[in-house]
Amino acid sequence: MKMNGGLGPEAPSCAARFRVTGAGRAPGLLLVLLLSGPAFAVADPKEMLPDPQQEARAEAIGSQLRCLVCQNESIEDSNADMAKDLRAIVRQRVVAGTTDQQVIDWMVARYGNFVRLKPPLMLSTALLWATPALGLLLGGLAAWWGRRRAVEQGGPAPLTAAEQARLRELTGAE
Amino acid sequence: MLAPLGLAAAAGLAFWKMLDRMAAGKFDPHALDNPLVGKQVPDFSLTGLGKAKGFGAADLKQAAAAKPVLVNFYASWCIPCAEEADILASLAAEGIPIWAVAYKDTEAASGEFLNRYGNPYARIANDAAGRVAIDWGVYGVPESFLIDRSGIVRWHLAGPLTEDSVRSELRPALRAIA
Amino acid sequence: MIPELGNFALALGCCLALAQGFIGIYGAWRRDSRLMAATPGLAIGQFLALAASAAALAWAATHDDFSVLNIVQNSAAAKPLLYKITGTWGNHEGSILLWGLVLAICGAAVALAGGNLPTALRARVLGVLGGTSCGFLLFALTTSNPFARIWPPAADGQGMNPLLQDPGLAFHPPILYTGYVGFAVPFAFAVAALLEGRIDAAWGRWVRPWALVSWCFLTCGIALGSWWAYYELGWGGYWFWDPVENASLMPWLTGTALVHSAIVVEKRESLKIWTVLLAIGTFSLSLSGTFLVRSGILNSVHAFASDPARGIFILALLALVIGGSLLLFALRAPRLASGGIFAPISREGAIVLNNILLCSICAVVVVGTMYPPFCDLLLGEKISVGAPFFNAAVLPLAIPVFAAMAVGPLLPWKRARLWPVVQHAWWAALIAVVIAGACSIGMKILPALAFGLSAWLILGSFAEVVERTLLFRAPVASSFRRARGLPVAVLGAAIAHAGMGVTVAGLAGASLSTQKIVSAKVGDSFQSGGYEWTLMRLEDVDGPNYSSRMATIYVKQDGVPLTLMYPSRRTFPLQHQTTYDVAISTNFLRDLYAVLGEERDGAAVLRLHVNVLAPWIWLGAGFMALGGALSLADRRLRVGAPSRARVAVPA
């Protein structure tokens, strides 16, 4: 893994992050980007496209693309030098009139599917995309199984006198 | 009722395997694959940095047809680049042609860097804007690529060359295309 | 000397925890009343030892004892006193100690408040807590000792990450950890119940308050963390689906499910096996989340990848705690009697639906977070899973939760019909549809839907209150009398559910927010979001351990002066780091949010946001926690259970 120095000439915020993490000084807190310098993306107003619609499109595309030298940040959110370059390329291509998918494909051709924050549906990500449906399916099955088990056990077992007294106590005044 | 235990056990086993391989240095969750490996070098053309001779895809393919070329992206402001300087020098001394792409660098800074750490490069192309590097899928410096006789990228390393990676990766790759 | 005492106290705490674990389990197994009676004392002793240990670390930090490695790495003489103290838990070693301390506090609380529990159950619960605690203290002692010394001592510390120098973040870990670790108590109850082989309504009644307290803390902890990200990171974001955030979301989701399913156990003696599994699962996710995030496997900022050995220790510990409890579950759960049957449409049915959906969301978060390393390991493919995936996958599951949330509490237990519910809540649905319709004119479909759902949640949540107090139908005085007679828990649930609605509205508000990035010279004015922003001044200001560059921005609306804002950029020389101090001016309907960026050629980059409804995101979380706390105050939760305890489990 490339550490400090390998990221960009103007030591971007991400580099600081690598440095600290590399030194084993990760704090024990449970919050995102704790060590990240505050990313201050699109820090330069000149970077933005003059046409607000094109700029919005570029931002939408950029937020789907991962900043390669950062941890789980899109190129829109990152202040890293590399992210800045990629942002500029996205904007150039948006102005040139390419489709969103073409811009993403252009990035994938260079950096692989790693660059996509939303992985495409393919064999290796089938399980990932199936998770919501699988969760519902398994949950439904468990509920059905639990109900069948309860019915098989004869439904609400006849309460003993002591249990009935307890039940009255439990449900209280209701 | 065994399902939760089974799931947890499978996850635990996979985690153990990852940690084990991480400790052995065989698994780096942070490393990246470069899709260029197995493909033709992308088209580009760059001028030289300072007095050095630049090159483009055509020059590179032509030279590689005679003898496989190691392409090295470096920058004078990059600390790990200095770390691999000795290894690059010894590879150059063996007669392996090393062509460099200076990433976002200036002539003055690069000249000083090469004076200090030695110049193992046969040619140095100037990628001041860093756009060619992006076409190569480079996401930081240093990165090295091995180009075979037919102009195909055979091997890639993101990060500095080390004795270990030269022995276990670069040399087998060189032997395979020799 | 003091750090040595701290180290000794830590070791003592570990020994007491071991004794507590062994004596608790063994004593209850042997039915030895003398052994069982010893466990509360051991739990309190463990707490005192760890409190002393934490105090020793705080002493070392406040007295700048730079012979302690942890202090050298994370503190500095120039650091403000408050942050010297809070900094003790802002690093790996200290946070493990805090973990242990909170776990010991939970044990002591069970020991003190559990006087009415059956002796055997209490001994088992304390035993499980003690055993778990012992494992983590052992981890602290062997691999992450906060009291490790260095020789020769350093002249000054290296200082902590400047981003941590913030009041919001200083108190974030204790609150979050209380949430995480608090779920150890329901976990211990679940394991104890499996050991005993029976669960009844009384068990549900004991577990629920503990689960609720932890849930409230976790809710506050997550909200505080996201609020910190919002005002400290400086680009208006508050949730990034980072593995570290996801780690806190997972137990929150299953914990929310647990808080609900425990009601069913308590009221209907149903869903017992499921509730036990949830209690085990929630704490397992707390553990895995906090610890595996630090193993270096996940592509997160917090990885301490440098040390896979620590990861192996953690993994072994997790295998013991999680694997052991799940094995016990597999062996014992089939023997638990199932309870009352209920129709699919009923209060129980609604809670089952809520549980399925929440757990599915949790599954998405777990799988999404873990997928990249697993995919890499098993298939050799590098992929990323980030915010766009989570948004796409979670949304279809979250919408039905929101839609059903308002209806659930209106359904009677056991068997229900939907028609009466429609009669009670039609007005809320109507208003919600009107709002969604009105919004859809000027907005995209999703935000409009979100605003409609939010109205539905807020209004629908109070439909039960309206119904039970006969509001608008009976005279106000009579409604008020009925309201006072209302169980506090009903009000608590309504407030918590409405709180979710408030949060949803806050999230949807993002679609109305505007931002502008400008390059400004002193005196320049800009129009953005309906406000006029003028850069009045740029000046240097010095802080205790940083120097700062501060801008003064004058904001006017329609020519009327509104406020002055002071965003600044702080440079910490010791850490060579710059942080952005955001200026926020809120009226609770929108935040004016200004950030001062870099300066070039006399012009400063300013980022000016108008974040519509943004404060509602955290306001809603506050309501959720408040609702949970109100439910806790319900006298039905506090009384009743003890008297039947002795009948329930003759020990």
Side-chain angles (χ1 to χ4, degrees):
Chain A
M1 191 66 221
K2 283 175 279 189
M3 291 291 171
N4 42 328
L7 300 165
E10 298 163 19
S13 63
C14 277
R17 228 196 283 174
F18 276 97
R19 213 156 19 235
V20 180
T21 312
R25 281 184 51 208
L29 301 176
L30 301 160
L31 217 119
V32 228
L33 307 176
L34 204 58
L35 283 174
S36 71
F40 195 54
V42 201
D44 192 347
K46 276 176 243 147
E47 249 190 64
M48 294 167 70
L49 295 175
D51 178 353
Q53 263 184 335
Q54 285 186 335
E55 173 63 25
R57 239 191 89 204
E59 271 169 32
I61 300 171
S63 60
Q64 304 273 323
L65 297 171
R66 179 181 187 141
C67 161
L68 296 146
V69 292
C70 312
Q71 304 285 1
N72 196 32
E73 265 179 321
S74 79
I75 57 170
E76 289 297 316
D77 293 338
S78 172
N79 196 25
D81 203 50
M82 185 82 219
K84 215 172 186 170
D85 289 351
L86 294 182
R87 271 203 301 275
I89 289 172
V90 168
R91 278 161 179 74
Q92 278 168 18
R93 301 189 79 79
V94 164
V95 172
T98 43
T99 65
D100 295 12
Q101 193 55 47
Q102 280 172 326
V103 181
I104 289 177
D105 289 345
W106 191 92
M107 291 286 173
V108 170
R110 279 152 186 81
Y111 293 105
N113 276 316
F114 186 81
V115 82
R116 303 180 66 165
L117 282 170
K118 184 158 109 185
L121 180 60
M122 43 188 190
L123 203 60
S124 55
T125 58
L127 188 64
L128 177 72
W129 282 105
T131 309
L134 271 181
L136 289 179
L137 188 74
L138 286 179
L141 274 179
W144 173 79
W145 178 82
R147 191 176 148 77
R148 211 190 54 167
R149 183 170 180 267
V151 173
E152 270 172 8
Q153 284 190 359
L159 298 180
T160 61
E163 277 174 332
Q164 268 178 349
R166 263 187 58 221
L167 186 69
R168 268 196 299 280
E169 250 182 306
L170 278 171
T171 45
E174 287 168 64
Chain B
M1 303 276 175
L2 272 167
L5 182 63
L7 266 175
L13 209 66
F15 270 121
W16 177 73
K17 189 112 185 111
M18 281 181 219
L19 285 171
D20 197 41
R21 291 180 53 183
M22 254 166 76
K26 280 189 226 143
F27 176 68
D28 180 1
H30 307 279
L32 230 79
D33 292 334
N34 191 315
L36 201 57
V37 175
K39 297 206 181 83
Q40 286 281 331
V41 295
D43 205 27
F44 70 97
S45 172
L46 288 173
T47 57
L49 183 72
K51 281 181 230 86
K53 207 169 163 193
F55 59 94
D59 309 313
L60 186 58
K61 282 180 193 169
Q62 202 183 357
K67 192 167 191 191
V69 176
L70 189 68
V71 176
N72 181 251
F73 286 77
Y74 82 102
S76 59
W77 43 261
C78 136
I79 301 161
C81 295
E83 286 167 19
E84 66 171 4
D86 287 348
I87 292 172
L88 282 174
S90 67
L91 289 174
E94 283 174 35
I96 298 171
I98 306 177
W99 291 23
V101 179
Y103 177 72
K104 295 196 174 180
D105 217 339
T106 60
E107 188 189 336
S110 181
E112 199 179 313
F113 177 85
L114 296 176
N115 276 338
R116 193 152 166 200
Y117 297 103
N119 182 357
Y121 304 125
R123 291 196 186 191
I124 303 175
N126 182 11
D127 186 16
R131 287 299 292 270
V132 168
I134 289 175
D135 284 338
W136 283 68
V138 168
Y139 64 97
V141 272
E143 288 199 25
S144 305
F145 298 80
L146 183 64
I147 319 298
D148 77 358
R149 289 176 200 278
S150 47
I152 291 175
V153 176
R154 279 295 161 205
W155 173 81
H156 162 250
L157 178 76
L161 289 158
T162 58
E163 307 240 341
D164 199 36
S165 59
V166 167
R167 193 178 52 244
S168 63
E169 294 179 36
L170 178 59
R171 294 214 185 277
L174 274 168
R175 271 197 297 276
I177 61 172
Chain C
M1 180 61 194
I2 299 280
E4 267 66 43
L5 284 179
N7 201 2
F8 173 74
L10 184 60
L12 181 67
C14 184
C15 295
L16 288 173
L18 180 68
Q20 181 189 333
F22 178 74
I23 289 176
I25 306 280
Y26 179 79
W29 179 50
R30 302 293 306 186
R31 306 226 157 249
D32 186 324
S33 53
R34 275 182 310 166
L35 286 182
M36 288 195 282
T39 48
L42 286 169
I44 292 166
Q46 186 205 340
F47 159 66
L48 291 176
L50 290 182
S53 183
L57 188 60
W59 183 92
T62 49
H63 288 73
D64 296 326
D65 187 341
F66 293 126
S67 65
V68 177
L69 181 64
N70 186 262
I71 307 295
V72 176
Q73 287 177 341
N74 301 293
S75 191
K79 197 161 83 167
L81 180 68
L82 174 71
Y83 298 112
K84 281 182 182 167
I85 299 169
T86 62
T88 55
W89 56 66
N91 55 79
H92 168 67
E93 288 82 3
S95 67
I96 297 281
L97 180 60
L98 179 67
W99 242 88
L101 178 62
V102 177
L103 195 54
I105 292 174
C106 290
V110 172
L112 291 172
N116 46 35
L117 290 175
T119 327
L121 181 64
R122 182 173 68 176
R124 286 199 171 102
V125 168
L126 288 174
V128 174
L129 286 174
T132 313
S133 178
C134 174
F136 286 108
L137 296 178
L138 214 55
F139 174 66
L141 282 168
T142 52
T143 70
S144 325
N145 194 329
F147 298 105
R149 296 269 200 181
I150 51 161
W151 194 260
D156 193 1
Q158 295 158 0
M160 77 171 159
N161 189 310
L163 284 174
L164 303 183
Q165 187 164 327
D166 173 90
L169 204 58
F171 296 101
H172 167 66
I175 292 174
L176 194 67
Y177 283 11
T178 309
Y180 272 136
V181 182
F183 281 113
V185 180
F187 167 81
F189 268 99
V191 172
L194 288 171
L195 286 171
E196 269 175 9
R198 70 166 293 161
I199 294 180
D200 54 21
W203 182 87
R205 189 158 281 202
W206 289 314
V207 165
R208 213 165 88 81
W210 292 104
L212 252 179
V213 172
S214 318
W215 181 85
C216 291
F217 273 100
L218 194 54
T219 307
C220 289
I222 294 174
L224 200 60
S226 112
W227 184 52
W228 171 83
Y230 173 72
Y231 74 73
E232 180 76 26
L233 294 187
W235 80 98
Y238 41 81
W239 189 262
F240 309 95
W241 296 104
D242 182 272
V244 182
E245 284 179 324
N246 292 350
S248 65
L249 191 63
M250 294 170 199
W252 187 84
L253 289 164
T254 54
T256 311
L258 173 64
V259 167
H260 289 87
S261 76
I263 306 177
V264 182
V265 176
E266 179 190 333
K267 303 261 193 215
R268 301 274 307 138
E269 291 219 25
S270 199
L271 297 188
K272 287 191 260 185
I273 296 177
W274 174 242
T275 305
V276 163
L277 185 60
L278 269 182
I280 294 175
T282 303
F283 185 57
S284 302
L285 286 172
S286 288
L287 283 182
S288 325
T290 24
F291 290 95
L292 287 179
V293 147
R294 305 167 176 212
S295 65
I297 288 171
L298 293 171
N299 226 332
S300 167
V301 247
H302 294 267
F304 41 76
S306 45
D307 197 356
R310 264 180 191 171
I312 295 282
F313 192 116
I314 289 168
L315 204 60
L317 205 57
L318 291 184
L320 206 66
V321 175
I322 300 174
S325 55
L326 286 178
L327 182 67
L328 191 66
F329 175 82
L331 293 175
R332 289 297 182 88
R335 281 207 248 154
L336 295 174
S338 45
I341 308 174
F342 50 86
I345 294 181
S346 61
R347 181 87 67 97
E348 295 98 315
I351 288 178
V352 168
L353 178 70
N354 139 317
N355 275 219
I356 292 176
L357 288 167
L358 285 173
C359 291
S360 297
I361 297 177
C362 181
V364 170
V365 178
V366 173
V367 171
T369 311
M370 302 297 183
Y371 210 80
F374 275 64
C375 189
D376 192 3
L377 180 79
L378 299 174
L379 307 167
E381 257 184 83
K382 305 269 185 192
I383 61 158
S384 302
V385 178
F389 167 80
F390 287 108
N391 291 336
V394 165
L395 212 62
L397 293 169
I399 288 172
V401 174
F402 298 146
M405 246 168 95
V407 182
L410 292 171
L411 292 168
W413 294 106
K414 203 168 176 188
R415 185 173 295 117
R417 282 174 306 126
L418 278 175
W419 179 241
V421 176
V422 174
Q423 282 178 311
H424 295 327
W426 64 269
W427 53 275
L430 185 71
I431 297 175
V433 168
V434 169
I435 289 182
C439 291
S440 66
I441 295 167
M443 272 185 242
K444 286 193 183 140
I445 185 78
L446 211 57
L449 183 69
F451 278 120
L453 275 174
S454 154
W456 164 240
L457 267 175
I458 296 170
L459 297 170
S461 300
F462 285 104
E464 193 187 6
V465 177
V466 169
E467 177 57 28
R468 288 174 81 151
T469 54
L470 297 177
L471 195 68
F472 307 127
R473 275 180 284 163
V476 177
S478 126
S479 286
F480 187 69
R481 207 169 49 243
R482 281 166 192 276
R484 294 202 40 190
L486 212 60
V488 185
V490 170
L491 207 60
I495 290 177
H497 285 191
M500 190 73 234
V502 173
T503 297
V504 170
L507 298 173
S511 65
L512 299 173
S513 301
T514 52
Q515 56 162 304
K516 188 165 195 165
I517 301 165
V518 294
S519 186
K521 288 198 162 74
V522 173
D524 286 355
S525 284
F526 304 91
Q527 290 291 337
S528 176
Y531 299 86
E532 188 191 324
W533 315 64
T534 310
L535 179 63
M536 307 290 286
R537 229 184 359 252
L538 272 171
E539 64 203 314
D540 289 318
V541 181
D542 278 338
N545 56 347
Y546 57 84
S547 60
S548 132
R549 181 87 174 150
M550 191 173 82
T552 304
I553 298 174
Y554 181 45
V555 186
K556 283 198 283 195
Q557 187 177 23
D558 303 326
V560 182
L562 205 63
T563 183
L564 285 169
M565 300 176 77
Y566 306 97
S568 66
R569 202 175 61 236
R570 293 177 179 174
T571 308
F572 290 77
L574 195 57
Q575 296 90 345
H576 304 289
Q577 223 169 314
T578 303
T579 69
Y580 299 92
D581 197 35
V582 179
I584 299 177
S585 163
T586 185
N587 67 359
F588 286 100
L589 286 176
R590 56 103 189 94
D591 279 352
L592 300 178
Y593 185 105
V595 194
L596 171 66
E598 301 300 324
E599 279 169 65
R600 216 168 287 146
D601 315 323
V605 172
L606 294 177
R607 230 181 134 105
L608 311 169
H609 299 239
V610 179
N611 293 329
V612 179
L613 291 184
W616 286 30
I617 297 170
W618 302 286
L619 202 65
F623 279 131
M624 285 187 243
L626 176 71
L630 269 183
S631 298
L632 268 179
D634 196 314
R635 53 177 282 283
R636 292 182 305 171
L637 267 184
R638 276 180 287 123
V639 298
S643 57
R644 110 193 22 101
R646 280 160 218 120
V647 191
V649 190

